[in-house]
């Protein structure tokens, strides 16, 4: 029986057959966009090598994904793109918020594209709350460049551990190079640890500074200045020119006290204006000379080799940590041990030792 409630045994309850549903009458239904088909690793690689921007964008999304099945295919794509990568100038650009990074990258970008070739602008900002939907945000930040057909602009992978975000950016560099981008800019906000990460993946590190009140040198971490291959003082325009020149002199003096750089290149200090496009060619002349110099001395190769080693170790570190801290039994044990350590029932060292032993045991069990 269709409706048991209609049985004679029930009194006072009657279920009527309902109204039948309407046929689908939406004439636009067939026009609805369908999801793009999933590509195979070989199709990704083929698209990338052809310079297909939409395939490149999708491949970068895979690299950024935390899903394991995406990571597996992303790693395969990266591996196959590796032989086609490396042929670019990788330039890191840092500066505090407001220093004029976006304005300058817009102008620098057009400057390098004048000589032909292609440019990818990537970013590392682990604090970023910017997510996928905000590509628009970055496009408006670099207004002219974003309209250029030879520029590929990609915001920072969304917030995560610095190591993780940086690794994704480094892998994205490989894909971009395989797609024919022979200029790579990696932007970072000059306020924390991210400069070190950027420094470990670029050939030239540019620090954008502003003329300040005279004590500006104190505000910059010495480590960041030591990493810089060039320091540029932005906003050297209008009645700010004198102050910018003064700041440049102070930076030059400060740099003289630094030990020689590993490349033996002497970092230069240049004033310019991103907004009014003044001295842009001077900045790029410096960068051109740097590349000539390091290619001649062999430092270019040496640094890239060191970076490759560094990223191998970084990736191992990251994977080990991830594996360790995401195991439920380890997390549970850690919680117990934390309590015991806090209550002075066990020392930090024996607690750590026991957690690690358990971890090794689980690994052996997995074999
Ligand atoms: P970011 O936060 O480092 O990306 O800095 P922006 O590029 O957004 O620039 C911050 C502000 O400084 C904006 O209002 C820009 O218009 C202004 N600005 C950038 N470059 C210059 C410049 O060369 N001269 C002057 N006067 N202002 C500039």
């Amino acid at each position: 029986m269709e409706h048991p409630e209609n049985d004679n045994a029930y009194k006072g309850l009657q279920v009527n057959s309902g109204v039948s549903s309407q046929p689908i009458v939406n004439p636009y239904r067939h026009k609805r966009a369908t999801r793009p088909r999933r590509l195979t690793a070989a199709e990704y690689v083929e698209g990338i090598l052809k310079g297909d921007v939409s395939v490149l964008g999708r491949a970068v999304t895979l690299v950024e994904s935390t899903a394991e099945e995406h990571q597996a295919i992303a790693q395969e794509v990266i591996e196959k793109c590796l032989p086609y990568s490396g042929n670019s100038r990788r330039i890191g650009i840092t500066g505090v918020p407001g220093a004029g990074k976006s304005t300058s990258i817009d102008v620098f970008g057009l400057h390098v594209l004048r000589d032909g070739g292609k440019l990818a602008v990537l970013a590392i900002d682990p604090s970023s709350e910017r997510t996928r939907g905000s590509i628009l945000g970055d496009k408006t930040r670099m207004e002219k460049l974003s309209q250029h057909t030879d520029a590929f602009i990609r915001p920072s992978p969304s917030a995560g551990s610095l190591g993780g975000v940086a690794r994704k950016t480094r892998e994205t560099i490989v894909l971009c190079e395989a797609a024919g981008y022979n200029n790579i800019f990696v932007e970072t906000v000059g306020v924390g640890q991210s400069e070190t990460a950027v420094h470990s993946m670029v050939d030239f590190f540019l620090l954008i500074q502003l003329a300040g009140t005279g004590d500006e040198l104190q505000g910059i971490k010495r480590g960041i200045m030591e990493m810089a291959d060039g320091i540029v003082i932005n906003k050297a325009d209008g009645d700010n020119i004198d102050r910018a020149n003064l700041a440049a002199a102070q930076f030059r003096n400060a740099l003289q006290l630094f030990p020689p750089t590993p490349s033996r290149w002497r970092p230069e200090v240049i004033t310019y204006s991103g907004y009014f496009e003044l001295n842009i060619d001077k900045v790029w002349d410096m960068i051109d000379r740097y590349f000539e110099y390091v290619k001649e001395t062999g430092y270019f190769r040496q640094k890239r080799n060191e970076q490759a080693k560094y990223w191998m170790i970084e990736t191992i570190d990251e994977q080990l940590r991830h594996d360790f801290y995401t195991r439920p039994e380890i997390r549970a044990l850690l919680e117990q041990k934390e309590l015991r350590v806090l209550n002075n029932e066990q020392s930090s060292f024996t607690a750590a030792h026991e957690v690690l032993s358990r971890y090794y045991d689980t690994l052996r069990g997995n074999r």
Side-chain angles (χ1 to χ4, degrees):
M1 191 191 294
E2 202 186 339
H3 297 293
E5 297 89 343
N6 290 350
D7 192 277
N8 284 339
Y10 295 98
K11 302 269 177 276
L13 181 67
Q14 177 72 33
V15 179
N16 296 323
S17 55
V19 180
S20 61
S21 61
Q22 293 294 315
I24 291 165
V25 289
N26 180 354
Y28 300 107
R29 193 176 189 280
H30 67 280
K31 287 195 178 161
R32 231 186 256 164
T34 47
R35 263 169 181 247
R37 190 175 60 84
R38 294 179 96 173
L39 302 180
T40 62
E43 286 170 324
Y44 274 114
V45 176
E46 192 192 328
I48 290 170
L49 294 182
K50 272 198 299 198
D52 183 327
V53 182
S54 98
V55 175
L56 173 64
R58 286 177 62 187
V60 175
T61 306
L62 277 191
V63 167
E64 291 174 355
S65 166
T66 46
E68 235 155 76
E69 81 257 31
H70 292 163
Q71 272 307 309
I73 182 164
Q75 292 309 318
E76 195 181 337
V77 174
I78 293 164
E79 204 69 23
K80 294 205 165 110
C81 283
L82 260 180
Y84 304 94
S85 71
N87 189 22
S88 75
R89 295 182 355 151
R90 304 171 183 165
I91 296 168
I93 299 176
T94 193
V96 293
K101 290 182 297 300
S102 357
T103 314
S104 306
I105 290 174
D106 210 22
V107 177
F108 291 159
L110 291 181
H111 187 87
V112 299
L113 285 173
R114 236 175 270 165
D115 297 332
K118 298 203 286 184
L119 166 70
V121 181
L122 313 175
I124 292 189
D125 181 3
S127 65
S128 172
E129 289 307 316
R130 292 191 256 154
T131 49
R132 306 213 32 74
S134 68
I135 294 171
L136 244 183
D138 272 37
K139 293 213 159 162
T140 46
R141 291 202 314 136
M142 295 158 203
E143 213 178 317
K144 293 179 224 136
L145 208 51
S146 62
Q147 289 165 24
H148 203 294
T149 47
D150 293 323
F152 176 77
I153 301 177
R154 187 85 187 188
S156 176
S158 47
S161 75
L162 172 61
V165 169
R167 180 176 56 76
K168 290 170 188 175
T169 303
R170 186 174 149 89
E171 291 175 344
T172 300
I173 293 180
V174 171
L175 301 186
C176 290
E177 289 176 351
Y181 290 83
N182 58 341
N183 293 284
I184 312 276
F185 290 178
V186 185
E187 176 196 352
T188 189
V189 180
V191 285
Q193 285 292 304
S194 44
E195 294 81 13
T196 318
V198 175
H199 186 245
S200 61
M201 65 178 83
V202 297
D203 308 310
F204 186 95
F205 194 68
L206 188 70
L207 173 62
I208 299 184
Q209 286 292 335
L210 293 174
T213 49
D215 57 3
E216 67 267 24
L217 287 181
Q218 290 158 27
I220 310 157
K221 294 200 193 77
R222 187 190 156 101
I224 297 180
M225 265 185 79
E226 262 174 326
M227 284 191 286
D229 300 298
I231 298 178
V232 287
I233 320 271
N234 189 19
K235 309 195 187 182
D237 46 53
D239 50 15
N240 205 27
I241 293 183
D242 286 345
R243 288 204 301 153
N245 284 336
L246 183 65
Q250 287 173 332
F251 275 110
R252 281 189 199 106
N253 283 339
L255 281 174
Q256 278 182 353
L257 305 175
F258 282 19
T261 58
S263 61
R264 303 273 152 180
W265 161 265
R266 295 185 75 87
E268 297 181 15
V269 182
I270 293 170
T271 61
Y272 80 108
S273 165
Y275 190 83
F276 293 98
E277 303 187 22
L278 305 171
N279 271 357
I280 306 296
D281 44 356
K282 257 187 157 176
V283 175
W284 284 87
D285 174 60
M286 161 179 70
I287 294 175
D288 287 342
R289 278 187 290 108
Y290 173 85
F291 276 94
E292 263 172 43
Y293 173 78
V294 291
K295 285 199 167 162
E296 213 173 280
T297 61
Y299 183 76
F300 179 81
R301 252 302 101 232
Q302 185 192 329
K303 187 171 181 185
R304 285 218 172 165
N305 289 343
E306 279 165 13
Q307 290 174 338
K309 273 195 290 183
Y310 171 87
W311 283 101
M312 182 182 75
I313 301 294
E314 272 292 303
T315 308
I316 293 173
D317 274 2
E318 198 202 324
Q319 299 274 313
L320 282 177
R321 277 170 189 275
H322 178 81
D323 185 62
F324 181 84
Y325 286 107
T326 51
R327 280 174 191 259
E329 73 263 45
I330 296 295
R331 287 163 71 151
L333 187 61
L334 267 178
E335 258 174 48
Q336 288 172 25
K337 293 290 175 192
E338 258 173 38
L339 273 182
R340 297 199 49 148
V341 169
L342 286 180
N343 291 335
N344 276 334
E345 290 162 10
Q346 192 172 22
S347 80
S348 313
F349 302 102
T350 57
H353 187 73
E354 283 178 28
V355 178
L356 281 169
S357 298
R358 173 76 65 87
Y359 177 65
Y360 298 137
D361 284 346
T362 55
L363 289 185
R364 278 188 210 105
N366 277 352
R367 266 200 223 144

